[in-house]
Amino acid sequence: MSDESTTGNHAARKHALCSASSAERWLECPGSVGLSMTVPEPPSSSYAIEGTEAHELSEKILFQWVKDNYTLSDEFLQELRNGKEEMFDYVMQYVHACVEESMAFDNTPTIRIEQRLTFNEDMKMFGTADFIATGMMDGVSTGVIVDLKYGKGKKVKTEGNPQLAYYAVAFRSCSKKQLEQVRVRIVQPRISDASTSITFSKDDLDAWGLKLTLGAEQALWMAGKAKTPVYKEGGWCWFCPAKQVCPEIARRLSENLASQFPDDL
């Protein structure tokens, strides 16, 4: 396996306006991109800090795995385990998934860890994949992404998930290997049934690439020129940095309040 990886400070990374993690939100609520630019960036929560620590631990282990010719010494692992046993055990579930995916290729795959993937340079659409590999799988040129989700909330859906599609499309675009399919595996070690996956065909990637590109163009146009941006309330509002100043949420709250106090009282 060859390693062409990049690394960096997770917490200090800049986020794209139309990022992978917020793809569902800006597809459903294109006005949220411009509105989010008007508010300060929210401080990191304890959950985000914990997730960052878990990702940095997994990155350290995987880099060592590649460096030591795809082996990990007991001494190295024990040193990392000390003082963070619970997190270490969860992270190792993810590491084992990465190793498992690497072994599924027909040939020796190329591996990259913490790799920046660019969806569209002009629109500054990019993200960082935890672990990617490319090679032949059952005779088909294949890319694999393994993504660690350290939260212990609900299970991440794979079908119809814009974030996973965003990474898959960007991966194919960045790869020089003419990928015919991209498999994305999600590992959520802190919930039951921790691993799930989806494979995107060339047709899937083409369709998602068009949908995400048009959605981002609309969101960025509204952020810069639209006089009446389109807002839509939904589950994607939970992590929106602008939800406190959102006119759509304010309108709905106002209507709910008015319905409780009819005019004839």
Side-chain angles (χ1 to χ4, degrees):
M1 303 176 189
S2 63
D3 173 52
E4 303 171 13
S5 309
T6 58
T7 185
N9 187 323
H10 288 245
R13 287 178 182 153
K14 293 183 178 180
H15 297 283
L17 289 177
C18 291
S19 67
S21 60
S22 62
E24 182 181 35
R25 171 164 56 80
W26 51 259
L27 279 175
E28 297 287 349
C29 179
S32 65
V33 172
L35 193 62
S36 296
M37 295 169 65
T38 68
V39 299
E41 185 171 343
S44 294
S45 67
S46 59
Y47 302 108
I49 293 171
E50 184 180 50
T52 295
E53 185 179 355
H55 276 82
E56 290 178 344
L57 177 59
S58 70
E59 179 183 341
K60 184 178 294 186
I61 295 171
L62 287 169
F63 268 114
Q64 190 68 32
W65 173 63
V66 172
K67 180 181 177 181
D68 286 352
N69 198 27
Y70 316 106
T71 61
L72 289 167
S73 70
D74 292 338
E75 293 79 9
F76 171 76
L77 293 177
Q78 187 57 47
E79 181 180 348
L80 291 183
R81 178 191 290 272
N82 288 337
K84 53 181 68 175
E85 285 76 9
E86 183 180 37
M87 178 177 288
F88 178 87
D89 289 340
Y90 284 134
V91 165
M92 284 304 295
Q93 291 184 45
Y94 166 73
V95 171
H96 288 149
C98 294
V99 174
E100 182 179 82
E101 291 295 331
S102 302
M103 299 299 292
F105 285 90
D106 302 339
N107 57 349
T108 301
T110 297
I111 289 176
R112 297 179 177 88
I113 302 162
E114 292 297 322
Q115 178 67 38
R116 179 182 169 117
L117 298 175
T118 300
F119 185 100
N120 185 298
E121 188 68 44
D122 292 338
M123 291 193 287
K124 295 181 173 59
M125 296 172 68
F126 55 84
T128 301
D130 298 336
F131 176 97
I132 62 175
T134 54
M136 301 299 292
M137 190 174 289
D138 295 327
V140 178
S141 180
T142 301
V144 170
I145 301 172
V146 189
D147 189 37
L148 171 63
K149 301 293 188 187
Y150 196 68
K152 52 184 178 181
K154 64 180 181 179
K155 186 176 181 65
V156 173
K157 65 176 184 177
T158 53
E159 294 295 332
N161 187 320
Q163 180 184 10
L164 306 190
Y166 184 115
Y167 278 122
V169 173
F171 187 10
R172 182 181 65 166
S173 177
C174 292
S175 176
K176 298 178 181 179
K177 296 190 176 180
Q178 302 297 313
L179 300 178
E180 298 178 59
Q181 62 182 12
V182 176
R183 170 180 160 87
V184 183
R185 180 170 175 178
I186 302 297
V187 181
Q188 295 178 264
R190 300 172 79 186
I191 69 170
S192 59
D193 190 22
S195 180
T196 187
S197 64
I198 184 172
T199 299
F200 296 91
S201 67
K202 289 176 66 175
D203 288 344
D204 295 331
L205 294 169
D206 288 341
W208 270 109
L210 179 60
K211 179 176 181 177
L212 290 163
T213 298
L214 294 176
E217 287 176 346
Q218 181 185 35
L220 293 174
W221 176 78
M222 287 188 179
K225 297 181 179 180
K227 295 181 179 180
T228 56
V230 175
Y231 302 105
K232 181 180 177 182
E233 191 176 3
W236 46 86
C237 298
W238 181 258
F239 292 108
C240 180
K243 61 184 177 182
Q244 300 298 332
V245 297
C246 176
E248 180 63 18
I249 292 178
R251 182 192 63 77
R252 192 258 305 165
L253 291 175
S254 178
E255 289 180 350
N256 289 347
L257 185 62
S259 68
Q260 296 177 38
F261 298 95
D263 295 338
D264 58 353
L265 285 181

